[in-house]
Amino acid sequence: MIKTLKKFAIIIILSLVFIAMAIWLPDIAKRSSIVAWDYFKEMIIIMPPVFILMGLMEAWVPKDKIQKWLGNRSGIKGMAISFALGTLPTGPLYVAFPMASSLLKSGARVSNMIIFLGSWAALKIPQLIVEIKFLGIEFTSLRFILTIIALVLVGKLMEFLLRRKPDKEYVLPGEGN
Amino acid sequence: MTTIIVIYGLLAVCLVASLIKSRQKTKKAFLVAGKALLKMGPSLLAIIGIVGLTLGILTPETIEKLVGAEAGFIATVVAAVIGAITLIPSLIAFPLAGSLMRSGATVMTMSVFITTLVMVGVVTAPMEIKALGKKFTLLRNGLGLVAAFAIAGIMGVLL
């Protein structure tokens, strides 16, 4: 009972905030609910196929293949694959979390997943076109290059930190290979 | 729209191939998918609510007031905070950043805004924690924030 309550705590708090706003700040409440409803529709459409694709991947792609492509000894090639996976035009970042999660479970290395998540969020090709249009080619290309460098550094650093003190609940595979 | 077509197209192809090769494995895939969806369901709902609230409060006009013409370091910090918290679609964020820059915001401020917007996700953190663990999430977002300031600093000097 308490566990269930805890699971839904954020949702309960959010509903209370929404109710309070509907009473005292009806304008903001209205705007918020329109945005929330749009997001809800988007998620309902996008999430089920994403999760089924992840399930299919876990059922069909052998773990040693993922370890070979994205694992500890994948080197530059692994980075390139992670980067390429991330730039594909496939939706918002929360779609990528379950993907990264199952890739990690199958033996992908942490630094590659940081590159994957980062390029997914920051370096999408359709997004870059919009950015060039509004902020210019100089701004966009400089940000692009610096972001790639930052992602590689953050990935390496995280790998180092997580290897020294791994998350107890999420002990990652491939440690010490 | 493209996203939806790409994802469903991919799903259709994979699903048919999987069904032809093995019903057993396809069934297993659905079981894995169902479990994952149930695990993340509550945080997905929470994200929807939080996104609605933040975008309802922080409209483009409000953001413009907060980080607009002022070029000081405070504007940069405010931009980083807004970027880290909100989840503004890039189709809205880039035109907004463009118009802010024309009305006097610095390159550094706009760069930190966009980089934190895409790299740091406070709103999506509950879901990230469910999928990848607390430590991973905190480190990724924390280091992302540091990286955003570094990137913005370099861009401010170079551009």
Side-chain angles (χ1 to χ4, degrees):
Chain A
M1 177 66 198
I2 290 169
K3 222 179 162 186
T4 335
L5 214 61
K6 215 178 145 194
K7 216 173 162 185
F8 290 95
I10 304 177
I11 295 170
I12 294 166
I13 294 169
L14 280 174
S15 328
L16 291 177
V17 174
F18 258 106
I19 292 168
M21 286 207 321
I23 298 168
W24 289 292
L25 301 160
D27 277 358
I28 293 178
K30 201 179 156 199
R31 253 196 331 257
S32 297
S33 43
I34 292 171
V35 176
W37 176 239
D38 279 346
Y39 256 83
F40 181 71
K41 282 188 289 191
E42 193 187 301
M43 281 208 189
I44 284 281
I45 295 171
I46 289 181
M47 290 324 271
V50 168
F51 277 95
I52 297 170
L53 279 170
M54 285 314 94
L56 285 171
M57 196 203 82
E58 270 183 43
W60 283 107
V61 183
K63 288 198 174 177
D64 55 315
K65 277 277 185 313
I66 290 181
Q67 230 156 24
K68 197 178 144 209
W69 293 332
L70 299 168
N72 278 339
R73 266 173 281 178
S74 58
I76 295 268
K77 219 164 140 195
M79 287 186 192
I81 295 172
S82 318
F83 174 74
L85 279 176
T87 51
L88 294 175
T90 32
L93 187 61
Y94 50 76
V95 172
F97 293 144
M99 293 174 80
S101 172
S102 56
L103 285 173
L104 274 176
K105 271 185 222 139
S106 319
R109 66 186 287 180
V110 171
S111 61
N112 283 340
M113 286 306 96
I114 294 300
I115 294 173
F116 167 67
L117 288 173
S119 54
W120 183 294
L123 308 170
K124 282 224 164 308
I125 290 157
Q127 188 181 306
L128 290 173
I129 296 167
V130 182
E131 186 175 351
I132 291 172
K133 198 172 147 219
F134 286 100
L135 294 165
I137 185 97
E138 271 190 347
F139 185 98
T140 308
S141 44
L142 191 54
R143 194 184 70 82
F144 187 91
I145 294 164
L146 291 173
T147 304
I148 293 178
I149 297 170
L151 287 174
V152 173
L153 292 178
V154 167
K156 293 276 175 234
L157 187 57
M158 270 188 67
E159 214 163 68
F160 175 72
L161 292 171
L162 283 174
R163 192 169 295 159
R164 286 192 67 192
K165 276 183 140 189
D167 205 330
K168 271 180 214 130
E169 281 178 64
Y170 285 84
V171 178
L172 304 168
E175 229 101 285
N177 288 355
Chain B
M1 207 51 212
T2 352
T3 311
I4 295 167
I5 295 167
V6 169
I7 290 183
Y8 275 87
L10 201 64
L11 176 66
V13 172
C14 295
L15 206 54
V16 169
S18 175
L19 275 170
I20 291 170
K21 278 194 124 180
S22 157
R23 274 175 178 246
Q24 204 63 40
K25 280 203 173 185
T26 313
K27 207 174 145 194
K28 194 186 143 207
F30 270 90
L31 278 176
V32 171
K35 249 195 225 153
L37 198 58
L38 274 183
K39 191 176 158 200
M40 300 220 191
S43 27
L44 275 174
L45 278 178
I47 290 176
I48 295 170
I50 298 172
V51 168
L53 278 180
T54 48
L55 285 188
I57 295 165
L58 285 171
T59 58
E61 296 84 55
T62 321
I63 295 173
E64 196 150 1
K65 258 184 237 154
L66 287 171
V67 297
E70 269 172 78
F73 187 66
I74 293 172
T76 309
V77 174
V78 172
V81 172
I82 295 176
I85 293 175
T86 54
L87 213 159
I88 305 170
S90 49
L91 281 177
I92 298 171
F94 289 129
L96 174 66
S99 81
L100 285 176
M101 223 148 81
R102 272 189 300 278
S103 65
T106 57
V107 169
M108 201 164 117
T109 305
M110 284 309 103
S111 155
V112 94
F113 175 61
I114 287 174
T115 312
T116 51
L117 195 62
V118 289
M119 292 230 283
V120 186
V122 173
V123 169
T124 49
M127 192 181 164
E128 193 175 347
I129 291 172
K130 283 263 159 62
L132 295 159
K134 204 176 263 173
K135 203 150 186 179
F136 185 101
T137 306
L138 287 177
L139 278 174
R140 194 186 75 84
N141 287 284
L143 293 172
L145 190 64
V146 175
F149 273 103
I151 291 171
I154 297 172
M155 286 183 69
V157 172
L158 289 181
L159 288 182

